[in-house]
Amino acid sequence: MSTFTKFQKLVVSISTFGGAALYYIHAIHKEKVQNSWTTDFKPSTKWDENWDFRAPKSLVHPKKLRNERDENVINEQLELVKPTATRHIILVRHGQYHIEGKTDEQRFLTKLGKSQAEYTGKRLKELDFPYTDIVKSTMSRAQETGTIISQSLPNVQVTECNLLREGAPIPPEPPVGHWKPGVHQFYEDGARIEAGFRKYFHRADAGQEEDSYTVLVCHANVIRYFVCRALQFPPEAWLRLSLNHASITWISITPSGRVILRTLGDSGHMPANVITSQ
């Protein structure tokens, strides 16, 4: 019967130790939570938790913690400013309009555009959300679209806002040759549209007890820019998106500040022969 030499015993010992070490390392890594599709993924861009400057930790003035009581005070203050409700922003593009009009007053809805707005009003009514308010852009086509939608939601408060007017939010990337606003237009419109985003897109205040549903009736450029900003995508990508007339885009802002795009440019509530985008 053969016996192990000293060298063989050494090899067996090293193999046994190495196997145990590998098992131990593997066990540690199994306990560590990793990203879903890889074990060492680093995002190209991290989510900005305080994108609306309303994260609870940014609203409570930090102080040096000297004892447990100080920590309790900070935690109590955080609870007072922590949101509990979700804000739902429903963006509706205006219906088809007379694009050949020279002035805003001449760019009113076509017969088809009015029909599109009626379908969207009926769809919003069918969804039966507890709508908080409807806010219309002050441009003619959005005003008319909002008025038609209001006929399906007669008990919802209606206001208007200049910040939602159509414009050139930011130079698109890649650029396009058929549409070249002046630099001054991006400078003026961009600041206004960004102000509109900051006004309507933020997490709920701590005092808001129920979820809210705000309908914004406005324009394709504005909606596409808002979507990119809300999802923290490059805002210059807005022109890569396309929206049909009277389509519905639905964004939810959760109490934690996370943003959910539930629908983008939904027009499935209309018959196919009614759907247009130009």
Side-chain angles (χ1 to χ4, degrees):
M1 186 176 187
S2 60
T3 58
F4 285 113
T5 65
K6 290 183 178 181
F7 176 74
Q8 288 173 322
K9 291 180 179 179
L10 178 62
V11 170
V12 171
S13 298
I14 292 173
S15 300
T16 303
F17 175 78
L22 286 173
Y23 175 80
Y24 177 72
I25 292 171
H26 177 68
I28 290 177
H29 279 278
K30 279 185 69 176
E31 294 177 0
K32 185 177 179 182
V33 177
Q34 301 287 354
N35 289 283
S36 59
W37 60 277
T38 181
T39 57
D40 191 27
F41 174 70
K42 293 181 176 60
S44 58
T45 304
K46 297 203 68 170
W47 178 260
D48 179 6
E49 299 286 353
N50 194 30
W51 61 273
D52 59 350
F53 295 92
R54 297 188 185 212
K57 289 184 179 179
S58 72
L59 300 177
V60 175
H61 297 294
K63 61 185 293 186
K64 187 175 182 180
L65 299 179
R66 293 167 296 190
N67 50 49
E68 187 176 340
R69 181 178 177 279
D70 286 348
E71 186 174 355
N72 290 337
V73 170
I74 292 295
N75 289 335
E76 289 172 1
Q77 292 176 343
L78 286 172
E79 287 300 317
L80 291 175
V81 297
K82 188 176 293 184
T84 58
T86 295
R87 298 186 68 247
H88 299 278
I89 312 297
I90 297 174
L91 304 117
V92 176
R93 187 189 179 192
H94 56 77
Q96 185 192 64
Y97 67 102
H98 292 279
I99 196 170
E100 71 280 359
K102 301 299 182 183
T103 65
D104 178 53
E105 291 74 17
Q106 295 172 342
R107 294 175 178 173
F108 53 89
L109 296 185
T110 63
K111 183 178 179 180
L112 179 59
K114 293 177 182 179
S115 178
Q116 292 166 341
E118 289 173 359
Y119 278 113
T120 297
K122 292 176 182 176
R123 174 58 176 166
L124 293 177
K125 181 179 180 180
E126 289 172 354
L127 290 173
D128 198 28
F129 293 139
Y131 299 105
T132 310
D133 56 345
I134 298 173
V135 185
K136 303 185 295 184
S137 157
T138 54
M139 298 187 81
S140 297
R141 53 192 183 272
Q143 287 277 309
E144 197 172 356
T145 301
T147 298
I148 294 173
I149 289 175
S150 296
Q151 293 171 2
S152 295
L153 305 171
N155 298 321
V156 181
Q157 176 186 358
V158 180
T159 59
E160 55 187 43
C161 180
N162 279 317
L163 298 177
L164 300 177
R165 292 175 67 89
E166 184 64 301
I170 188 174
E173 180 61 38
V176 293
H178 63 276
W179 185 69
K180 293 183 178 180
V183 176
H184 69 283
Q185 190 173 346
F186 284 116
Y187 181 76
E188 294 173 3
D189 293 350
R192 171 179 54 77
I193 296 171
E194 173 64 20
F197 173 80
R198 298 187 186 193
K199 179 175 181 178
Y200 295 106
F201 285 79
H202 56 79
R203 70 195 81 189
D205 293 330
Q208 181 176 324
E209 298 179 355
E210 304 291 337
D211 292 353
S212 58
Y213 291 80
T214 294
V215 179
L216 303 181
V217 183
C218 49
H219 310 270
N221 294 359
V222 175
I223 295 172
R224 291 182 287 183
Y225 177 80
F226 283 175
V227 168
C228 288
R229 285 283 283 111
L231 297 178
Q232 297 188 19
F233 292 165
E236 59 270 20
W238 64 271
L239 199 53
R240 303 174 201 173
L241 307 177
S242 179
L243 299 175
N244 291 329
H245 288 120
S247 60
I248 297 172
T249 296
W250 176 10
I251 293 178
S252 299
I253 305 172
T254 67
S256 68
R258 300 294 173 89
V259 177
I260 304 169
L261 176 62
R262 298 185 182 276
T263 62
L264 174 66
D266 180 19
S267 52
H269 53 280
M270 303 182 204
N273 63 339
V274 173
I275 298 173
T276 59
S277 61
Q278 298 294 328

